Amino acid sequence: MSRRSGILEFAVLGLLRESPMHGYELRKRLNTSLGVFRAFSYGTLYPCLKTLVANGWLIEEAANGPEDALAAPLTGRRAKIVYRLTADGKEHFEELLSQTGPDAYEDETFAARFAFFGQTSRDVRMRVLEGRRSRLEERLEKMRASLTRTRERLDDYTLELQRHGMESVEREVRWLNELIESERAGRDLRGPTGESAQRNITSGTTGGLPRPGDTPGTDSPGDTAT
């Protein structure tokens, strides 16, 4: 399984842990609440759902009860399918939440992990945040070294682009420092500060990176298909 497929499965399990949903609702939540999935299509989501069902982590149910599924052949309409997390699926998701290996620090993986920090234990959150910060500090050091070596050979626009990239990484490191300090102090980020932090990570640029100063977006998890 590719890393991107694994991230999608993780996010689907996490959303369904909150409540059962049908495919349209899931895709809308992935698009609006988890910005890293904006490029995903139905053609990607439904094979993922089928895989999770086959693994026993989800079950499919008729949206409006068993009678809806029986009536569908008579009306010619396809019954809406709701996906519900099983006990095994919940256990598997909790196992995924506890993982703190290097994959948790990558751009897209970190964005998805951060989106479910409210369901993650404090010690795991700390390890993921510190790992992400360490990864970015290494990246920043390499960017500075590269800029020093190539500065004289770059035109002004390329140089400005590299500076912009460095500033973006520096901003995220500062943001991570603030989050880590809050975690160490035992402050709960589920209030207004936490909501803003989560919107930053999920509405950021490609890869799910936060954009400090962004205007928080508005999620619409309650929309349903017609």
Side-chain angles (χ1 to χ4, degrees):
M1 178 175 60
S2 68
R3 175 184 295 170
R4 198 159 174 79
S5 296
I7 299 169
L8 179 59
E9 291 187 5
F10 171 82
V12 168
L13 292 172
L15 290 175
L16 290 176
R17 189 185 185 189
E18 299 173 4
S19 65
M21 302 180 203
H22 55 70
Y24 178 85
E25 289 175 299
L26 271 171
R27 185 170 183 264
K28 191 168 183 62
R29 288 293 305 277
L30 288 167
N31 288 343
T32 59
S33 300
L34 306 176
V36 66
F37 296 106
R38 286 175 184 145
F40 276 88
S41 65
Y42 283 107
T44 302
L45 176 59
Y46 280 100
C48 171
L49 291 170
K50 294 301 181 183
T51 297
L52 295 175
V53 170
N55 288 340
W57 297 330
L58 302 182
I59 57 173
E60 296 177 327
E61 299 176 338
N64 298 315
E67 67 280 0
D68 188 61
L70 293 174
L74 299 177
T75 61
R77 292 182 301 174
R78 183 177 179 181
K80 294 179 182 177
I81 299 298
V82 168
Y83 296 91
R84 182 184 299 274
L85 196 66
T86 65
D88 286 344
K90 181 179 179 181
E91 182 179 345
H92 179 62
F93 178 69
E94 290 173 350
E95 180 182 318
L96 294 175
L97 276 181
S98 69
Q99 295 177 2
T100 59
D103 281 350
Y105 317 148
E106 299 298 334
D107 292 349
E108 292 181 350
T109 311
F110 176 73
R113 287 298 303 270
F114 190 90
F116 294 100
F117 262 21
Q119 303 180 43
T120 307
S121 64
R122 188 181 299 276
D123 62 321
V124 171
R125 292 198 302 264
M126 278 293 294
R127 288 199 292 273
V128 173
L129 289 172
E130 289 175 340
R132 175 67 176 173
R133 181 177 63 180
S134 177
R135 178 64 54 84
L136 290 182
E137 287 173 340
E138 293 174 2
R139 184 183 301 174
L140 191 58
E141 183 177 348
K142 291 179 181 178
M143 293 172 74
R144 286 170 176 162
S146 175
L147 185 60
T148 299
R149 290 194 307 270
T150 61
R151 181 188 301 272
E152 299 302 325
R153 300 195 301 270
L154 299 177
D155 62 57
D156 290 343
Y157 291 101
T158 304
L159 186 61
E160 191 61 30
L161 183 63
Q162 290 205 10
R163 286 174 177 163
H164 174 70
M166 287 177 53
E167 290 172 358
S168 297
V169 177
E170 288 169 345
R171 284 196 299 271
E172 188 177 356
V173 170
R174 290 195 297 270
W175 177 74
L176 289 167
N177 286 336
E178 294 172 0
L179 289 173
I180 291 169
E181 181 182 349
S182 293
E183 292 288 348
R184 286 177 176 164
R187 293 196 291 270
D188 192 345
L189 298 184
R190 297 180 187 180
T193 301
E195 292 170 2
S196 176
Q198 179 157 332
R199 281 192 290 263
N200 271 340
I201 193 68
T202 57
S203 65
T205 56
T206 301
L209 299 181
R211 296 185 299 182
D214 279 358
T215 301
T218 301
D219 296 342
S220 304
D223 291 354
T224 58
T226 54

CSV table of all heavy atoms in Angstrom, one decimal, residues 167-213:
chain,number,residue,atom,x,y,z
A,167,GLU,N,11.5,30.9,4.6
A,167,GLU,CA,10.7,31.7,5.6
A,167,GLU,C,9.5,30.8,5.9
A,167,GLU,O,9.0,30.8,7.1
A,167,GLU,CB,10.2,33.0,5.0
A,167,GLU,CG,11.4,34.0,4.9
A,167,GLU,CD,11.0,35.2,4.1
A,167,GLU,OE1,9.8,35.3,3.6
A,167,GLU,OE2,11.8,36.2,4.0
A,168,SER,N,8.9,30.1,5.0
A,168,SER,CA,7.8,29.2,5.3
A,168,SER,C,8.1,28.1,6.3
A,168,SER,O,7.4,27.8,7.2
A,168,SER,CB,7.3,28.5,4.0
A,168,SER,OG,6.8,29.5,3.0
A,169,VAL,N,9.3,27.5,6.1
A,169,VAL,CA,9.8,26.5,7.1
A,169,VAL,C,10.0,27.1,8.4
A,169,VAL,O,9.7,26.5,9.5
A,169,VAL,CB,11.0,25.8,6.5
A,169,VAL,CG1,11.5,24.8,7.5
A,169,VAL,CG2,10.7,25.1,5.2
A,170,GLU,N,10.6,28.3,8.4
A,170,GLU,CA,10.9,29.0,9.7
A,170,GLU,C,9.6,29.3,10.5
A,170,GLU,O,9.5,29.1,11.7
A,170,GLU,CB,11.7,30.3,9.5
A,170,GLU,CG,13.1,30.0,9.0
A,170,GLU,CD,13.8,31.3,8.5
A,170,GLU,OE1,13.1,32.3,8.2
A,170,GLU,OE2,15.0,31.3,8.4
A,171,ARG,N,8.6,29.7,9.7
A,171,ARG,CA,7.3,30.0,10.4
A,171,ARG,C,6.7,28.7,11.0
A,171,ARG,O,6.1,28.8,12.1
A,171,ARG,CB,6.3,30.6,9.3
A,171,ARG,CG,6.6,32.0,9.0
A,171,ARG,CD,5.4,32.7,8.3
A,171,ARG,NE,5.0,32.0,7.1
A,171,ARG,CZ,5.5,32.4,5.9
A,171,ARG,NH1,6.4,33.4,5.8
A,171,ARG,NH2,5.2,31.8,4.8
A,172,GLU,N,6.8,27.6,10.2
A,172,GLU,CA,6.2,26.4,10.8
A,172,GLU,C,7.0,25.9,12.0
A,172,GLU,O,6.4,25.4,13.0
A,172,GLU,CB,6.2,25.3,9.8
A,172,GLU,CG,5.4,24.1,10.3
A,172,GLU,CD,5.2,22.9,9.4
A,172,GLU,OE1,5.6,23.0,8.2
A,172,GLU,OE2,4.7,21.9,9.8
A,173,VAL,N,8.3,26.1,12.0
A,173,VAL,CA,9.1,25.7,13.2
A,173,VAL,C,8.7,26.6,14.4
A,173,VAL,O,8.5,26.0,15.5
A,173,VAL,CB,10.6,25.9,12.9
A,173,VAL,CG1,11.4,25.8,14.2
A,173,VAL,CG2,11.1,24.9,11.9
A,174,ARG,N,8.4,27.9,14.2
A,174,ARG,CA,8.0,28.7,15.3
A,174,ARG,C,6.6,28.2,15.8
A,174,ARG,O,6.3,28.2,17.0
A,174,ARG,CB,7.9,30.2,14.9
A,174,ARG,CG,9.3,30.8,14.7
A,174,ARG,CD,9.2,32.3,14.6
A,174,ARG,NE,8.4,32.8,13.5
A,174,ARG,CZ,8.9,33.0,12.2
A,174,ARG,NH1,10.2,32.9,12.0
A,174,ARG,NH2,8.1,33.5,11.3
A,175,TRP,N,5.7,27.9,14.9
A,175,TRP,CA,4.4,27.4,15.2
A,175,TRP,C,4.5,26.1,16.0
A,175,TRP,O,3.8,25.9,17.0
A,175,TRP,CB,3.6,27.2,13.9
A,175,TRP,CG,2.3,26.6,14.0
A,175,TRP,CD1,1.1,27.2,14.5
A,175,TRP,CD2,1.9,25.3,13.7
A,175,TRP,NE1,0.1,26.4,14.4
A,175,TRP,CE2,0.5,25.2,13.9
A,175,TRP,CE3,2.5,24.2,13.1
A,175,TRP,CZ2,-0.2,24.0,13.6
A,175,TRP,CZ3,1.8,23.0,12.8
A,175,TRP,CH2,0.5,23.0,13.1
A,176,LEU,N,5.4,25.2,15.6
A,176,LEU,CA,5.6,23.9,16.3
A,176,LEU,C,6.1,24.2,17.7
A,176,LEU,O,5.7,23.5,18.7
A,176,LEU,CB,6.5,23.0,15.5
A,176,LEU,CG,5.9,22.4,14.3
A,176,LEU,CD1,7.0,21.8,13.4
A,176,LEU,CD2,4.9,21.4,14.6
A,177,ASN,N,7.0,25.2,17.8
A,177,ASN,CA,7.6,25.5,19.2
A,177,ASN,C,6.5,25.9,20.1
A,177,ASN,O,6.4,25.6,21.3
A,177,ASN,CB,8.6,26.6,19.0
A,177,ASN,CG,9.9,26.2,18.5
A,177,ASN,OD1,10.3,25.0,18.5
A,177,ASN,ND2,10.7,27.1,17.9
A,178,GLU,N,5.5,26.7,19.6
A,178,GLU,CA,4.4,27.2,20.4
A,178,GLU,C,3.5,26.0,20.8
A,178,GLU,O,3.1,25.9,22.0
A,178,GLU,CB,3.6,28.2,19.7
A,178,GLU,CG,4.3,29.5,19.4
A,178,GLU,CD,3.5,30.4,18.5
A,178,GLU,OE1,2.4,30.1,18.1
A,178,GLU,OE2,4.0,31.5,18.2
A,179,LEU,N,3.2,25.1,19.9
A,179,LEU,CA,2.4,23.9,20.2
A,179,LEU,C,3.1,23.0,21.3
A,179,LEU,O,2.5,22.6,22.2
A,179,LEU,CB,2.1,23.1,19.0
A,179,LEU,CG,1.2,23.8,17.9
A,179,LEU,CD1,1.2,22.9,16.7
A,179,LEU,CD2,-0.2,23.9,18.5
A,180,ILE,N,4.4,22.8,21.1
A,180,ILE,CA,5.1,22.0,22.0
A,180,ILE,C,5.2,22.6,23.4
A,180,ILE,O,5.0,21.9,24.4
A,180,ILE,CB,6.6,21.7,21.5
A,180,ILE,CG1,6.5,20.8,20.2
A,180,ILE,CG2,7.5,21.1,22.6
A,180,ILE,CD1,7.8,20.7,19.5
A,181,GLU,N,5.4,23.9,23.5
A,181,GLU,CA,5.3,24.6,24.8
A,181,GLU,C,4.0,24.4,25.4
A,181,GLU,O,3.9,24.2,26.6
A,181,GLU,CB,5.7,26.1,24.6
A,181,GLU,CG,5.7,26.9,25.8
A,181,GLU,CD,6.0,28.4,25.6
A,181,GLU,OE1,6.3,28.7,24.5
A,181,GLU,OE2,5.8,29.1,26.6
A,182,SER,N,2.9,24.6,24.7
A,182,SER,CA,1.6,24.4,25.2
A,182,SER,C,1.4,23.0,25.7
A,182,SER,O,0.8,22.8,26.8
A,182,SER,CB,0.5,24.7,24.2
A,182,SER,OG,0.5,26.1,23.8
A,183,GLU,N,1.8,22.0,25.0
A,183,GLU,CA,1.7,20.6,25.4
A,183,GLU,C,2.4,20.3,26.7
A,183,GLU,O,2.0,19.7,27.6
A,183,GLU,CB,2.2,19.6,24.3
A,183,GLU,CG,1.3,19.6,23.0
A,183,GLU,CD,0.0,18.9,23.2
A,183,GLU,OE1,-0.2,18.2,24.3
A,183,GLU,OE2,-0.9,19.0,22.4
A,184,ARG,N,3.7,20.9,26.8
A,184,ARG,CA,4.5,20.7,28.0
A,184,ARG,C,3.9,21.3,29.2
A,184,ARG,O,4.0,20.8,30.3
A,184,ARG,CB,5.9,21.2,27.7
A,184,ARG,CG,6.7,20.3,26.8
A,184,ARG,CD,8.1,21.0,26.6
A,184,ARG,NE,8.9,20.1,25.8
A,184,ARG,CZ,10.0,20.4,25.1
A,184,ARG,NH1,10.4,21.7,25.2
A,184,ARG,NH2,10.7,19.5,24.4
A,185,ALA,N,3.2,22.5,28.9
A,185,ALA,CA,2.5,23.2,30.0
A,185,ALA,C,1.2,22.5,30.4
A,185,ALA,O,0.5,23.0,31.4
A,185,ALA,CB,2.3,24.6,29.7
A,186,GLY,N,0.8,21.5,29.6
A,186,GLY,CA,-0.5,20.9,29.9
A,186,GLY,C,-1.7,21.6,29.5
A,186,GLY,O,-2.8,21.4,30.0
A,187,ARG,N,-1.5,22.6,28.6
A,187,ARG,CA,-2.7,23.4,28.2
A,187,ARG,C,-3.5,22.6,27.1
A,187,ARG,O,-2.9,22.1,26.2
A,187,ARG,CB,-2.3,24.8,27.6
A,187,ARG,CG,-1.7,25.7,28.7
A,187,ARG,CD,-1.6,27.1,28.2
A,187,ARG,NE,-0.6,27.3,27.2
A,187,ARG,CZ,0.7,27.6,27.4
A,187,ARG,NH1,1.1,27.7,28.6
A,187,ARG,NH2,1.5,27.8,26.4
A,188,ASP,N,-4.8,22.7,27.2
A,188,ASP,CA,-5.7,22.0,26.3
A,188,ASP,C,-5.9,22.9,25.1
A,188,ASP,O,-6.3,24.0,25.2
A,188,ASP,CB,-7.0,21.6,26.9
A,188,ASP,CG,-7.8,20.7,26.1
A,188,ASP,OD1,-7.5,20.5,24.9
A,188,ASP,OD2,-8.8,20.1,26.7
A,189,LEU,N,-5.6,22.4,23.9
A,189,LEU,CA,-5.8,23.2,22.7
A,189,LEU,C,-7.1,23.0,22.0
A,189,LEU,O,-7.3,23.4,20.8
A,189,LEU,CB,-4.7,22.9,21.7
A,189,LEU,CG,-3.2,23.2,22.1
A,189,LEU,CD1,-2.3,22.9,21.0
A,189,LEU,CD2,-3.1,24.6,22.6
A,190,ARG,N,-8.1,22.5,22.7
A,190,ARG,CA,-9.4,22.2,22.0
A,190,ARG,C,-10.3,23.4,22.1
A,190,ARG,O,-11.4,23.3,21.5
A,190,ARG,CB,-10.1,21.0,22.7
A,190,ARG,CG,-9.2,19.7,22.5
A,190,ARG,CD,-9.9,18.5,23.1
A,190,ARG,NE,-9.0,17.4,23.1
A,190,ARG,CZ,-9.3,16.2,23.5
A,190,ARG,NH1,-10.5,16.0,24.1
A,190,ARG,NH2,-8.5,15.2,23.5
A,191,GLY,N,-9.9,24.5,22.7
A,191,GLY,CA,-10.7,25.7,22.7
A,191,GLY,C,-10.4,26.5,21.5
A,191,GLY,O,-10.0,26.0,20.5
A,192,PRO,N,-10.6,27.8,21.5
A,192,PRO,CA,-10.4,28.7,20.3
A,192,PRO,C,-9.0,28.5,19.7
A,192,PRO,O,-8.9,28.5,18.5
A,192,PRO,CB,-10.7,30.1,20.9
A,192,PRO,CG,-11.6,29.9,22.0
A,192,PRO,CD,-11.2,28.6,22.6
A,193,THR,N,-8.0,28.5,20.6
A,193,THR,CA,-6.6,28.4,20.1
A,193,THR,C,-6.4,27.1,19.3
A,193,THR,O,-5.9,27.1,18.2
A,193,THR,CB,-5.6,28.5,21.2
A,193,THR,OG1,-5.8,29.7,21.9
A,193,THR,CG2,-4.2,28.4,20.6
A,194,GLY,N,-6.9,26.0,19.9
A,194,GLY,CA,-6.8,24.7,19.2
A,194,GLY,C,-7.5,24.6,17.9
A,194,GLY,O,-7.1,24.0,16.9
A,195,GLU,N,-8.7,25.2,17.9
A,195,GLU,CA,-9.5,25.2,16.6
A,195,GLU,C,-8.8,25.9,15.5
A,195,GLU,O,-8.7,25.5,14.4
A,195,GLU,CB,-10.9,25.8,16.9
A,195,GLU,CG,-11.8,24.9,17.8
A,195,GLU,CD,-13.0,25.7,18.3
A,195,GLU,OE1,-13.2,26.8,17.8
A,195,GLU,OE2,-13.8,25.1,19.1
A,196,SER,N,-8.2,27.1,15.9
A,196,SER,CA,-7.5,27.9,14.9
A,196,SER,C,-6.2,27.1,14.4
A,196,SER,O,-5.9,27.1,13.2
A,196,SER,CB,-7.0,29.2,15.5
A,196,SER,OG,-6.2,29.9,14.6
A,197,ALA,N,-5.6,26.4,15.3
A,197,ALA,CA,-4.4,25.6,15.0
A,197,ALA,C,-4.7,24.5,14.0
A,197,ALA,O,-4.1,24.3,13.0
A,197,ALA,CB,-3.7,25.1,16.2
A,198,GLN,N,-5.9,23.8,14.3
A,198,GLN,CA,-6.3,22.8,13.4
A,198,GLN,C,-6.7,23.3,12.0
A,198,GLN,O,-6.3,22.7,11.0
A,198,GLN,CB,-7.4,21.9,14.0
A,198,GLN,CG,-7.8,20.8,13.1
A,198,GLN,CD,-8.5,19.7,13.8
A,198,GLN,OE1,-8.3,19.5,15.0
A,198,GLN,NE2,-9.4,19.0,13.1
A,199,ARG,N,-7.4,24.4,12.0
A,199,ARG,CA,-7.7,25.0,10.7
A,199,ARG,C,-6.5,25.4,9.9
A,199,ARG,O,-6.4,25.3,8.7
A,199,ARG,CB,-8.7,26.1,10.8
A,199,ARG,CG,-10.1,25.7,11.1
A,199,ARG,CD,-11.1,26.9,11.0
A,199,ARG,NE,-10.9,27.8,12.0
A,199,ARG,CZ,-11.6,27.9,13.1
A,199,ARG,NH1,-12.6,27.0,13.3
A,199,ARG,NH2,-11.4,28.8,14.1
A,200,ASN,N,-5.5,25.9,10.6
A,200,ASN,CA,-4.2,26.2,9.9
A,200,ASN,C,-3.6,25.1,9.2
A,200,ASN,O,-3.2,25.1,8.1
A,200,ASN,CB,-3.2,26.8,10.9
A,200,ASN,CG,-3.3,28.3,11.1
A,200,ASN,OD1,-3.9,29.0,10.2
A,200,ASN,ND2,-2.8,28.8,12.2
A,201,ILE,N,-3.5,23.9,9.9
A,201,ILE,CA,-2.8,22.8,9.4
A,201,ILE,C,-3.7,22.1,8.2
A,201,ILE,O,-3.1,21.6,7.3
A,201,ILE,CB,-2.5,21.7,10.4
A,201,ILE,CG1,-1.5,20.7,9.9
A,201,ILE,CG2,-3.8,21.0,10.9
A,201,ILE,CD1,-0.2,21.2,9.7
A,202,THR,N,-5.0,22.2,8.3
A,202,THR,CA,-5.8,21.5,7.3
A,202,THR,C,-6.2,22.4,6.1
A,202,THR,O,-6.6,21.9,5.1
A,202,THR,CB,-7.1,21.0,7.9
A,202,THR,OG1,-7.8,22.1,8.5
A,202,THR,CG2,-6.8,20.0,9.0
A,203,SER,N,-6.0,23.7,6.3
A,203,SER,CA,-6.3,24.6,5.2
A,203,SER,C,-5.1,25.3,4.6
A,203,SER,O,-5.1,26.2,3.9
A,203,SER,CB,-7.3,25.7,5.6
A,203,SER,OG,-6.6,26.6,6.6
A,204,GLY,N,-3.9,24.7,4.8
A,204,GLY,CA,-2.7,25.3,4.4
A,204,GLY,C,-2.4,24.9,2.9
A,204,GLY,O,-3.2,24.5,2.2
A,205,THR,N,-1.1,25.1,2.6
A,205,THR,CA,-0.7,24.9,1.2
A,205,THR,C,-0.6,23.4,0.9
A,205,THR,O,-0.8,22.6,1.8
A,205,THR,CB,0.7,25.6,0.9
A,205,THR,OG1,1.6,25.1,1.9
A,205,THR,CG2,0.5,27.1,1.1
A,206,THR,N,-0.2,23.0,-0.3
A,206,THR,CA,0.0,21.7,-0.7
A,206,THR,C,0.9,20.9,0.3
A,206,THR,O,1.9,21.4,0.7
A,206,THR,CB,0.6,21.6,-2.1
A,206,THR,OG1,-0.2,22.2,-3.0
A,206,THR,CG2,0.7,20.1,-2.5
A,207,GLY,N,0.4,19.8,0.8
A,207,GLY,CA,1.1,19.0,1.8
A,207,GLY,C,0.6,19.3,3.2
A,207,GLY,O,1.0,18.7,4.1
A,208,GLY,N,-0.4,20.2,3.3
A,208,GLY,CA,-1.0,20.4,4.6
A,208,GLY,C,-0.2,21.3,5.5
A,208,GLY,O,-0.5,21.3,6.7
A,209,LEU,N,0.8,22.0,5.1
A,209,LEU,CA,1.5,22.8,6.0
A,209,LEU,C,0.7,24.0,6.4
A,209,LEU,O,-0.1,24.6,5.7
A,209,LEU,CB,2.8,23.3,5.3
A,209,LEU,CG,3.8,22.2,4.8
A,209,LEU,CD1,5.0,22.8,4.2
A,209,LEU,CD2,4.2,21.3,6.0
A,210,PRO,N,0.9,24.5,7.6
A,210,PRO,CA,0.1,25.6,8.1
A,210,PRO,C,0.6,26.9,7.5
A,210,PRO,O,1.8,27.1,7.1
A,210,PRO,CB,0.4,25.6,9.7
A,210,PRO,CG,1.8,25.0,9.7
A,210,PRO,CD,1.8,24.0,8.6
A,211,ARG,N,-0.3,27.9,7.4
A,211,ARG,CA,0.0,29.2,6.9
A,211,ARG,C,-0.3,30.2,8.0
A,211,ARG,O,-1.5,30.6,8.1
A,211,ARG,CB,-0.7,29.5,5.6
A,211,ARG,CG,-0.3,28.6,4.5
A,211,ARG,CD,-1.0,29.0,3.2
A,211,ARG,NE,-2.4,29.0,3.3
A,211,ARG,CZ,-3.3,29.2,2.3
A,211,ARG,NH1,-2.8,29.6,1.1
A,211,ARG,NH2,-4.6,29.2,2.5
A,212,PRO,N,0.6,30.6,8.8
A,212,PRO,CA,0.3,31.5,9.9
A,212,PRO,C,-0.3,32.8,9.4
A,212,PRO,O,0.2,33.3,8.3
A,212,PRO,CB,1.7,31.8,10.5
A,212,PRO,CG,2.5,30.6,10.2
A,212,PRO,CD,2.0,30.1,8.9
A,213,GLY,N,-1.3,33.2,10.1
A,213,GLY,CA,-2.0,34.4,9.6
A,213,GLY,C,-3.2,34.2,8.7
A,213,GLY,O,-3.9,35.1,8.3
